[in-house]
Amino acid sequence: MSSETGMNYAPKGMPNRVCKDGEFIFAAAHLDHGHIHGMSQGLIEAGAQVKWVYDPDPAKVAAYCKQFPQAKVARSEDEILCDNSVHLVAGANIASERCAQGLRVMDAGKDYFTDKAPLTTLQQLEAAKEKVQTTGKKYAVYYSERIHVQSAVYAGQLVERGAIGRVIQVLGLGPHREGRGRPDWFYEKEQFGGILCDIGSHQIDQFLFYTGAKDATIERSRVANYTHKDKVNFEDFGDVSLTADNGATGYIRVDWFTPDALGTWGDGRLLILGTEGYIELRKYIDVGRESTSDNVYLVNHEVEKYMPVNNKVGCPYFGQLILDCLNRTENAMTQEHAFKAAELAVKAEMMAKKLEG
Amino acid sequence: MSSETGMNYAPKGMPNRVCKDGEFIFAAAHLDHGHIHGMSQGLIEAGAQVKWVYDPDPAKVAAYCKQFPQAKVARSEDEILCDNSVHLVAGANIASERCAQGLRVMDAGKDYFTDKAPLTTLQQLEAAKEKVQTTGKKYAVYYSERIHVQSAVYAGQLVERGAIGRVIQVLGLGPHREGRGRPDWFYEKEQFGGILCDIGSHQIDQFLFYTGAKDATIERSRVANYTHKDKVNFEDFGDVSLTADNGATGYIRVDWFTPDALGTWGDGRLLILGTEGYIELRKYIDVGRESTSDNVYLVNHEVEKYMPVNNKVGCPYFGQLILDCLNRTENAMTQEHAFKAAELAVKAEMMAKKLEG
């Protein structure tokens, strides 16, 4: 890194729409998780058009149509799969059903864009890999806590520019607010996949991304159900220690203990430690400061600096995904990375020591 | 916790001197680590008098006498050990020599107050425990990153008052500045004990303290020498995952990578996660804010709050230690706790996976 760039950490420009109206058509099918709204919004801002929406529950469809009135209500998933104009199906199904949906989507000759976790078992992973192989279609994953968070995008730019030298650790904290009115499947491990598979997958995605690793060893993982004694198949805490194939370390912690008084759903943090500096993200809130998202702290040999980057960076993932689908490239995220993060999340869950609450 | 106290987190009063002049006399012997200055200052502020100083290196003695001109230079360690007026000997020896010094001190009928790590092997631990048993003397440890940090003291008060419910995780980050001019022993594992034994012991002390645990299991530990290729017996990174005997979890990370531009020696953090809230300490600096130490962040169901507590809390440890020595009580820290933290630090070091840098 030159001394010029050392003092000049301006984010790259905001991404623009990557295609014209009608060039990239998608449908939203299965709306069990609210992430479908963010997934759709991201695609639309990048130039895509939503043509269809489908869910067995009319209330979810109505909520979707309120935000995206241009979407036509499909009478079945099949009505979408039969429409040759649809390039991609976006889904936020119950986690354990995401893979099966993806297999149907790819069999219909369309790319699939699923909420995380993209799958919940190693058997599903094998089926998904095989289907990608035989159909040539994409099984893209909405690891939103990186790809749809501007401070996380910017951190990637900083690491790429060498602002902190070699990355030797990624430490991610992903507390979430449980809130009230979660559906039953949220509490059933068979369906949500376990806390490390579910919200842990965001963190493993980040660990692989910022360390630049292709693979990793799970050193130790733990899960607990400390306080939800009436939900015997729930997990409210989990953590994982990982070592990347390039020698970098990772530690991730996730939980459902966001306190009521916090001004947002979770005090998500990311600490990236390099040999020449470190970056901290206070992604969604900066406790005790004026409430704003996307707070970046950079310390290296030249600067000790706070950088608010909300609305300065954008989220290029969505435009890249559209172009990847149109051009059959892999710039948004490689299939290998998407599956590796899922694999490690499932394995961390399987290997986890179950703590006595 | 009542709703009244929920909104009222005023620190307890600053501690006062606990004894009169001449009631508690100590000596400083072996000054290899600069911590001896903080140890002495803490004792003196609490009412103790320093009578003697000894080190084989006249330069270290001179530096000590500059800060504490009241100390007489002893011609040998023995001159101190023979003085019946001395209650306690404080030492900051080379880590691997601390136990041997302690055995001599206790054999001379005095209490011992050592810099951390208090010892570097399990054999030393056994010898120290036995000597405590046979002499009835104390082997007190300066785990400075908790006992001599006002925000850490205050965090203990908050936890005790129930401000965050049951503690389910303590996460400690202890980055340190290597700087220039460290002595040779700093780089020799045989002497400094390894990074987890050395600066890791601070973190394990905190983990045990804030979780209220008596013991813990080391789940996984790692050490690495990422960049000090010319110092083959050094470790510049380490981490540990622990589970407390009461079901709480711990994760600690230590390193020697504080970047040049940071305004202090290390961005020490402590995150205490409870079932009803969490506390974050930014102990020595708060990057991007006006530079001050002892920054406490508390979020629970009632508040989301920043509390600067520097010069509002004090460090009661020193007065409690003096009174413990005079009255043969254990209010400052139990011997069991001091040894348990040391034991776990040594074990974490012994069990550590050595990463390829």
Side-chain angles (χ1 to χ4, degrees):
Chain A
M1 188 176 59
S2 74
S3 63
E4 182 270 324
T5 57
M7 301 301 287
N8 177 10
Y9 295 109
K12 293 179 187 171
M14 296 281 281
N16 294 319
R17 288 167 59 99
V18 298
C19 61
K20 298 197 196 104
D21 278 359
E23 277 187 344
F24 190 81
I25 309 287
F26 76 98
H30 297 289
L31 318 176
D32 295 276
H33 196 296
H35 276 167
I36 193 68
H37 293 259
M39 296 162 71
S40 300
Q41 189 65 36
L43 288 171
I44 291 166
E45 286 175 7
Q49 280 187 281
V50 58
K51 181 167 176 184
W52 296 105
V53 58
Y54 170 73
D55 191 273
D57 176 2
K60 292 193 185 76
V61 172
Y64 190 89
C65 290
K66 199 169 168 193
Q67 190 175 349
F68 305 106
Q70 67 271 43
K72 260 174 76 176
V73 179
R75 66 181 172 271
S76 67
E77 187 186 282
D78 257 348
E79 190 174 10
I80 291 168
L81 297 184
C82 292
D83 181 346
N84 287 330
S85 74
V86 172
H87 292 87
L88 175 145
V89 176
N93 216 316
I94 292 172
S96 57
E97 303 305 315
R98 287 172 191 164
C99 179
Q101 181 182 352
L103 303 182
R104 296 192 298 273
V105 168
M106 292 187 285
D107 269 335
K110 302 176 192 317
D111 292 316
Y112 181 48
F113 179 35
T114 177
D115 188 22
K116 69 69 239 173
L119 42 84
T120 57
T121 69
L122 295 180
Q123 292 72 25
Q124 290 174 12
L125 176 65
E126 283 318 302
K129 280 183 172 176
E130 199 188 317
K131 193 63 75 182
V132 164
Q133 203 71 40
T134 54
T135 62
K137 293 297 157 188
K138 292 181 186 295
Y139 193 112
V141 184
Y142 183 62
Y143 291 118
S144 56
E145 295 185 21
R146 176 172 62 86
I147 62 172
H148 216 170
V149 173
Q150 296 184 61
S151 51
V153 172
Y154 183 52
Q157 296 176 11
L158 287 175
V159 168
E160 198 183 356
R161 292 180 201 179
I164 60 169
R166 173 185 168 196
V167 172
I168 56 176
Q169 189 181 57
V170 172
L171 189 156
L173 303 178
H176 283 62
R177 175 165 285 148
E178 178 187 354
R180 286 157 190 88
R182 293 270 184 180
D184 290 345
W185 69 270
F186 177 85
Y187 295 101
E188 291 298 329
K189 183 166 177 172
E190 197 72 31
Q191 295 185 284
F192 74 88
I195 192 170
L196 297 177
C197 175
D198 177 17
I199 54 179
S201 66
H202 285 297
Q203 301 295 333
I204 293 179
D205 160 66
Q206 292 173 90
F207 161 71
L208 291 174
F209 179 77
Y210 296 107
T211 59
K214 291 274 182 207
D215 202 352
T217 303
I218 294 156
E219 301 287 358
R220 194 59 165 143
S221 57
R222 295 180 284 197
V223 295
N225 183 352
Y226 283 114
T227 65
H228 295 74
K229 300 303 179 192
D230 56 328
K231 313 281 191 187
V232 295
N233 298 315
F234 189 55
E235 293 167 349
D236 54 25
F237 178 91
D239 72 354
V240 189
S241 172
L242 306 110
T243 305
D245 58 4
N246 58 14
T249 63
Y251 176 73
I252 71 169
R253 185 188 88 187
V254 287
D255 68 74
W256 289 99
F257 287 110
T258 292
D260 293 348
L262 189 76
T264 189
W265 59 268
D267 189 357
R269 304 280 186 100
L270 189 75
L271 287 92
I272 311 176
L273 175 65
T275 52
E276 315 296 333
Y278 61 94
I279 296 165
E280 178 179 359
L281 307 184
R282 300 179 193 150
K283 290 180 171 183
Y284 316 116
I285 195 167
D286 200 345
V287 172
R289 282 187 193 267
E290 202 185 335
S291 189
T292 174
S293 65
D294 295 299
N295 306 282
V296 178
Y297 293 83
L298 169 67
V299 186
N300 60 20
H301 297 318
E302 292 155 359
V303 297
E304 182 201 298
K305 199 171 177 179
Y306 166 58
M307 292 174 285
V309 300
N310 188 30
N311 292 325
K312 292 182 186 160
V313 178
C315 296
Y317 173 86
F318 298 95
Q320 289 170 340
L321 176 61
I322 291 170
L323 292 178
D324 282 348
C325 292
L326 292 174
N327 305 332
R328 311 318 292 168
T329 50
E330 285 207 316
N331 296 311
M333 184 187 298
T334 66
Q335 189 64 68
E336 187 187 357
H337 170 96
F339 280 151
K340 182 55 72 176
E343 175 193 330
L344 291 170
V346 169
K347 286 184 173 169
E349 187 71 46
M350 291 170 68
M351 293 166 60
K353 176 174 179 172
K354 176 97 191 185
L355 302 179
E356 290 302 319
Chain B
M1 189 175 59
S2 76
S3 63
E4 183 269 323
T5 55
M7 301 303 287
N8 177 9
Y9 296 108
K12 294 180 186 169
M14 294 281 280
N16 295 319
R17 288 166 61 97
V18 299
C19 62
K20 298 197 195 102
D21 278 358
E23 278 187 342
F24 191 80
I25 309 287
F26 76 99
H30 296 290
L31 318 175
D32 295 276
H33 196 295
H35 276 166
I36 192 68
H37 293 257
M39 295 162 72
S40 300
Q41 189 65 36
L43 288 170
I44 290 166
E45 286 174 8
Q49 281 186 280
V50 58
K51 182 168 177 185
W52 296 104
V53 58
Y54 170 73
D55 193 273
D57 176 2
K60 292 192 185 77
V61 172
Y64 190 89
C65 290
K66 199 171 165 191
Q67 191 175 349
F68 306 106
Q70 67 272 42
K72 259 173 77 177
V73 179
R75 64 181 173 271
S76 67
E77 187 185 281
D78 256 348
E79 189 172 11
I80 291 168
L81 297 184
C82 292
D83 181 345
N84 286 330
S85 74
V86 172
H87 292 88
L88 175 144
V89 176
N93 216 317
I94 291 172
S96 57
E97 303 304 316
R98 286 172 191 164
C99 180
Q101 180 182 353
L103 302 182
R104 296 192 299 272
V105 168
M106 291 186 287
D107 270 334
K110 302 176 191 318
D111 292 316
Y112 181 48
F113 180 34
T114 178
D115 187 22
K116 68 72 236 172
L119 44 84
T120 57
T121 69
L122 295 180
Q123 292 72 25
Q124 291 174 12
L125 177 65
E126 282 319 300
K129 280 183 171 176
E130 200 188 317
K131 192 64 76 182
V132 164
Q133 202 72 40
T134 55
T135 62
K137 294 297 160 189
K138 292 182 186 294
Y139 192 112
V141 184
Y142 183 62
Y143 292 119
S144 56
E145 295 184 21
R146 175 171 63 87
I147 62 172
H148 215 172
V149 172
Q150 296 183 59
S151 51
V153 172
Y154 183 52
Q157 296 176 10
L158 288 175
V159 169
E160 196 182 357
R161 292 180 200 177
I164 59 168
R166 172 185 170 198
V167 172
I168 56 175
Q169 188 181 59
V170 173
L171 189 155
L173 303 178
H176 283 62
R177 175 165 285 147
E178 178 187 356
R180 286 157 191 87
R182 293 271 185 180
D184 290 346
W185 69 271
F186 176 85
Y187 296 101
E188 291 298 329
K189 182 165 177 172
E190 197 71 31
Q191 297 185 284
F192 74 88
I195 192 169
L196 297 176
C197 175
D198 177 17
I199 53 179
S201 66
H202 285 296
Q203 301 296 332
I204 292 178
D205 160 67
Q206 292 173 89
F207 162 71
L208 291 174
F209 179 77
Y210 295 107
T211 60
K214 291 274 183 207
D215 203 350
T217 302
I218 293 157
E219 301 289 356
R220 193 59 164 143
S221 56
R222 294 179 286 196
V223 294
N225 183 353
Y226 283 115
T227 66
H228 294 74
K229 300 301 178 193
D230 56 327
K231 314 281 192 187
V232 294
N233 299 315
F234 189 56
E235 294 166 350
D236 54 25
F237 178 92
D239 72 353
V240 190
S241 172
L242 305 110
T243 305
D245 58 6
N246 59 14
T249 63
Y251 176 73
I252 71 169
R253 185 188 88 186
V254 286
D255 68 73
W256 289 99
F257 287 110
T258 292
D260 293 348
L262 190 76
T264 189
W265 58 269
D267 189 357
R269 305 280 187 100
L270 189 75
L271 287 91
I272 311 176
L273 176 65
T275 52
E276 314 296 333
Y278 61 94
I279 296 165
E280 178 180 0
L281 308 184
R282 300 177 195 153
K283 290 180 170 182
Y284 316 116
I285 195 166
D286 201 344
V287 172
R289 281 188 193 266
E290 203 184 336
S291 189
T292 176
S293 66
D294 294 300
N295 306 283
V296 178
Y297 293 82
L298 169 67
V299 186
N300 60 20
H301 297 317
E302 292 155 0
V303 296
E304 181 201 298
K305 200 170 177 179
Y306 166 59
M307 293 175 283
V309 301
N310 188 29
N311 292 324
K312 293 183 185 161
V313 178
C315 296
Y317 173 86
F318 298 95
Q320 290 170 339
L321 177 62
I322 291 170
L323 293 177
D324 282 348
C325 291
L326 292 173
N327 304 332
R328 312 318 293 168
T329 50
E330 285 207 314
N331 296 312
M333 185 187 300
T334 66
Q335 189 65 67
E336 187 186 358
H337 171 94
F339 280 149
K340 183 53 75 177
E343 175 193 330
L344 291 170
V346 169
K347 286 183 173 169
E349 188 70 47
M350 292 170 68
M351 293 166 60
K353 177 175 179 171
K354 176 97 191 185
L355 302 180
E356 291 301 321

